[in-house]
Amino acid sequence: MSSVPAIHIALTFDDNFWAPAYATMRSVCLFTKRKQDLVFHLCHRTLSPGHHTDLAAIADEFPVHLRWYDLDQSEMFRDVARRMPENRRLSNIVYARLMLDQLLGSEVERVLYLDCDMLVRDDIAALFDIDLRGKAIAAVRDTMGAFIAGGRDLKNNRDIFDAADYYFNAGMVLIDIAKWREADVIGRMEEAHRTGVMQRIYYDQDLLNLVFKDNWLKLDWRWNTIDARHAHEGLDPAILHYTGERKPWGIFSTMLQTVAFARLYRHVMTNELFYRFARHRWRRWWMKRLRLG
């Protein structure tokens, strides 16, 4: 590793998201000059040996470092995932990012968390090196934040959230580990669970907005372009975040260009992995329906 400080990046995913995790990592590598400084912290669960091999191959193409964290072996994660409200769409892997300060090594002072439904197309070093100006984290305002927190007619949870407060999307968060640790995120989660707040809010993202209220740096929208559509291509986004129903790994999304940079995404994932992931998703789709039958 070079004498320049490492760029620490954390991803959390389960076995059904191994290919998008690979695409996110590869996009980071492709669009930075500081490839040799990249350290990927891969927090995973239910990862099959074959998919582990696919992910590890990133180090054959680029001079990056990989650190693996098997969440299935983490008593802390298993306990949290078992007790906290279940995220049926994303699974309780979402809670893993709350404990990054406890999972990562003590030498990590700053880490960039990225969701695995992202495509990076600008130099990640420019984001990682941003001056946090004394804040614990940096993030991008969520364009749907008021609705996420307030729900229909923006009436829900008014005793918890104020729609006038800026609300960030937690898919990309630049973290000062020491300040994150001082905030006692897991302790705040446990308190919210005891008081019934966790049962009412939008999982970890709402919790992080409560914990870091007025203690986060608002970044330009380019660094987390939410619900990335085809029209965003002309605006030169730095990170595409595919939060909508259509994903860039969908065959028809790629053919019809319904999401931003769909064709680029396919080749970042690589054609071989893209079509293998498509077959994997079809198998899962049929298995779910056969079980229902």
Side-chain angles (χ1 to χ4, degrees):
M1 192 178 297
S2 72
S3 59
V4 178
I7 300 173
H8 294 281
I9 300 173
L11 286 74
T12 62
F13 56 94
D14 62 20
D15 195 54
N16 289 316
F17 244 66
W18 100 97
Y22 176 84
T24 298
M25 278 200 298
R26 192 164 185 258
S27 70
V28 169
C29 297
L30 286 166
F31 287 92
T32 185
K33 298 287 189 180
R34 289 177 56 187
K35 296 173 177 55
Q36 71 280 3
D37 299 320
L38 293 172
V39 180
F40 289 104
H41 300 265
L42 305 180
C43 306
H44 62 87
R45 62 177 307 271
T46 66
L47 188 62
S48 70
H51 295 163
H52 187 289
T53 299
D54 288 333
L55 288 160
I58 198 82
D60 296 333
E61 184 178 5
F62 304 103
V64 301
H65 300 260
L66 304 180
R67 298 183 185 175
W68 305 85
Y69 306 81
D70 186 350
L71 298 174
D72 290 324
Q73 303 302 315
S74 168
E75 184 177 345
M76 175 176 57
F77 173 78
R78 294 199 311 269
D79 175 60
V80 167
R82 175 179 56 81
R83 293 186 295 107
M84 292 300 134
E86 181 182 0
N87 188 319
R88 294 184 180 276
R89 185 172 69 89
L90 298 174
S91 88
N92 281 4
I93 190 73
V94 297
Y95 293 111
R97 66 180 142 194
L98 301 182
M99 52 191 72
L100 286 176
D101 62 315
Q102 301 183 50
L103 291 172
L104 307 189
S106 58
E107 78 284 2
V108 180
E109 298 178 354
R110 174 181 287 207
V111 66
L112 176 64
Y113 170 84
L114 296 177
D115 272 354
C116 292
D117 56 352
M118 287 182 154
L119 174 72
V120 178
R121 51 175 303 278
D122 207 336
D123 192 344
I124 207 69
L127 172 59
F128 190 82
D129 292 338
I130 282 174
D131 182 358
L132 286 172
R133 304 176 195 172
K135 302 294 186 181
I137 65 172
V140 171
R141 185 183 184 185
D142 197 312
T143 54
M144 293 294 290
F147 180 74
I148 293 169
R152 180 172 293 181
D153 298 331
L154 308 186
K155 291 182 177 180
N156 297 341
N157 295 338
R158 282 188 178 171
D159 57 322
I160 302 175
F161 293 101
D162 186 339
D165 290 329
Y166 279 5
Y167 178 106
F168 62 84
N169 180 278
M172 183 285 294
V173 185
L174 181 61
I175 299 169
D176 180 312
I177 289 290
K179 287 183 168 57
W180 182 283
R181 189 172 291 122
E182 289 173 7
D184 188 20
V185 176
I186 295 297
R188 291 285 299 276
M189 179 196 67
E190 295 289 2
E191 177 187 0
H193 189 257
R194 285 194 300 271
T195 59
V197 170
M198 281 302 297
Q199 293 83 338
R200 296 171 54 193
I201 64 177
Y202 186 68
Y203 310 107
D204 59 318
Q205 180 166 276
D206 270 7
L207 176 71
L208 289 173
N209 272 273
L210 290 174
V211 172
F212 294 107
K213 179 183 176 181
D214 301 326
N215 190 21
W216 64 283
L217 178 68
K218 182 175 178 286
L219 299 178
D220 188 87
W221 65 270
R222 293 184 67 247
W223 292 112
N224 187 354
T225 307
I226 298 163
D227 194 13
R229 306 288 184 94
H230 183 62
H232 286 118
E233 291 187 9
L235 300 176
D236 190 28
I239 299 180
L240 290 304
H241 193 179
Y242 301 104
T243 56
E245 291 186 5
R246 292 190 181 275
K247 305 296 185 183
W249 50 80
I251 300 295
F252 293 110
S253 292
T254 306
M255 291 173 58
L256 302 176
Q257 295 285 299
T258 56
V259 298
F261 295 102
R263 187 176 182 185
L264 172 65
Y265 184 93
R266 185 185 76 192
H267 291 290
V268 169
M269 184 180 278
T270 73
N271 271 321
E272 190 275 332
L273 200 58
F274 182 87
Y275 289 110
R276 185 143 54 87
F277 185 51
R279 292 191 294 271
H280 172 85
R281 290 184 294 108
W282 271 110
R283 283 195 297 271
R284 287 186 64 216
W285 188 88
W286 277 110
M287 289 294 292
K288 286 181 179 179
R289 274 137 192 85
L290 290 172
R291 283 198 295 268
L292 287 175

